[in-house]
Amino acid sequence: MTYSKDFLLRAYRTMKTIREFEERCVSEFMGGNIPGFVHVSNGQEAIAVAACIDLDDKDIIGSTHRGHGHCIAKGCDVIGMMKEIMGRATGLCKGKGGSMHIADIDKGMLGANAIVGGGPPLVNGAALTAKTLKTGKVAISFNGDGSANQGTVMEAQNLAVVLQLPHIFMFENNGYAEGTAAKYGLGCDSLTERNAGFGMPAVCVNGLDFFETYEAMKEAIERARNGGGPTAIEAMCVRFDGHFIGDPQLYRGENEVEDARAKQDCLKIFRTRVKKEKWLTDKEMNAIDAEVMALIEQAVSEGLAAPHPNPETDLLSDVYISY
Amino acid sequence: MSNSTKHMKTSLKTYREAINEALHQEMERDPTVIVLGEEVSGGAGGNGQDDAYGGVFGVTKGLQPKYSRDRVIDTPISESAIVGAAIGAANTGLRPVAELMFFDFIGVCFDQIFNQAAKFRYMFGGKSITPVVIRGTVGGGWRAGAQHSNMLHPVVTHIPGLKVVMPSNAYDAKGLMVRAIRDNDPVLFLEHKIMYDNACEVPDELYEIPFGEAAFPRQGTDVTIVAISNMVTKAIEAADILAKEGISCDVIDPRTVSPLDEESILESVEVTGRLVIVDEANERCSLAADISSIVAEKGFHSLKAPIRKVTAPHTPVPFAPELEDAYIPSTAKVIAAVREVLGA
């Protein structure tokens, strides 16, 4: 497959933005600037970008509790996201959602979800809208190896097949459901084989490889847009951080995270590939790095300067009725 | 501390430690007690430490190394399967303690609880028992947002066949957990996540606190304050502040909301004639509304002022700290409500 320079630069920029956003979330959380429970997706950037790079605002995604990367990949405003995660009134959800409930419907981002397996049934609904109104749009649910074991996800998979919905089930298998190994929680030897058992095309890809993931996604999207129904993709990947920020990760092996950062970094893998192919240069990507760093810096400084919600006016707004 | 435990040796324990100790001692005493849920031990199948979590809040830490993975079972993220298995095992000879990490996850598995477990004893003509405990963390204060901070006890209290336990301190938590495990009906054991580090003197040996018997952390004659779960802490704070002004509050902690100790509430209102109910749940169709209606029906002639409820507003739980702090009833709001019923 050949890729345009614009495409490659966009892919790299988005992956790098996610990486820096997540790393900065960790330090801002540790510094006390971000409240609550925050789950970061650094290490898994290639999947989010590969899944979303060909989508427009009318294509829908449903995310998970580990949703920042999906938001960024879908085009959500990074500054608005940082404000939201900091709980500010001018955040994407007016500070009412936070990291686990961030959404931007205008961008086709149906929402992060703090209930494991909460998203895929809803994403079926978005796919049903697309099918019924013949919009040609697709819907993508992000799942983990953990949510694969929720009844809600399996019900959604079966219904998507029954109704031949344009729904791509993206399973990010990062090896851990919270602190439990994927190979323990998944009773089957292969999640992909289980996915195929639902009667949909199912593939397993190296989720650290942007290009491999993108190509599987491209095929699935084309099939869905052409009425060919759902697809399941299992993308094998690595989580660089804990289940949540501050997780001591006692369940991981010695040097496991350090090794993953050194040897299984999807950004490094991307850079190596595009340089080898002579598609992009270090200079081009370093320039993007600098712009991304500046953007994240701006997001944090604007986030910290953003107004806090006012309980007098904001606590009872956006409720259908007040008593 | 009740009369029955006064002779017991005690030590300072947190709410977390008290529940953990109850589980340890009941598992030791009764081999049919098992624990299951997500990360109740943690690290299953991984390359790191065993018992990596002991529950996300550390409540079940140490159980698995002692009682093995046969009795302390880490599960996949599958709430219906967890709760259903616990209920079915309870029907057939075990006494499971299932954990719903966050009680908000009840949404995923509610059928197993309200259509199955709650109905078996009655629907099967008294021939079935379901000695299951379903633990879950409730409440706000952690900035955990709308899907990890709910107070859903009114939802389950509404359902016949379920017992609902809401300890407000470590002493009650241990005794109520022991009672819950030994009870032959399904018990929802709701732990407020903001209280895990709160400590008090707790007996080292086993003891039970019966269901349906309120505690009286402050006694008084001017105003009755009925408070639930963590709101008991705020009611006590309010009572202590008001005591300095000569206002005497009778603080009642029902400890279990189903069954509910109606008698203690009515007796108190008979003396005070004034009632404030403090609950972190949303107000409509809530426990606060329920207690209010009980007193309005059965204690009407004792009342000298309208009943006041201090609850969360009719919204989901907001994320931003300023909004969440305004959402959760505060000590200041309790004090204001007491002054209001006193006409002060």
Side-chain angles (χ1 to χ4, degrees), chain B residues 3 30 76 99 136 151 163 169 178 261 269 274 300 307 314 321:
Chain B
N3 288 329
D30 180 352
E99 179 178 315
M151 291 295 279
K163 293 178 177 172
N169 59 70
V178 172
D261 186 353
V269 174
R274 295 177 172 89
F300 183 76
I307 298 164
H314 196 67

Side-chain angles (χ1 to χ4, degrees), chain B residues 101-181:
Chain B
M101 196 180 283
F102 291 85
F103 196 61
D104 313 65
F105 303 167
I106 192 177
V108 184
C109 57
F110 199 26
D111 176 73
Q112 295 292 320
I113 295 172
F114 96 92
N115 249 335
Q116 312 299 335
K119 294 176 179 171
F120 289 157
R121 180 145 79 101
Y122 183 85
M123 193 165 70
F124 299 154
K127 288 176 186 164
S128 176
I129 63 164
T130 308
V132 67
V133 181
I134 300 168
R135 295 179 43 238
T137 58
V138 296
W142 267 87
R143 319 313 187 195
Q147 294 174 338
H148 277 52
S149 307
N150 284 288
M151 291 295 279
L152 294 171
H153 56 284
V155 175
V156 283
T157 303
H158 178 73
I159 294 163
L162 300 178
K163 293 178 177 172
V164 185
V165 178
M166 304 189 74
S168 73
N169 59 70
Y171 172 82
D172 288 346
K174 181 175 177 184
L176 289 167
M177 177 54 83
V178 172
R179 176 64 237 150
I181 292 169

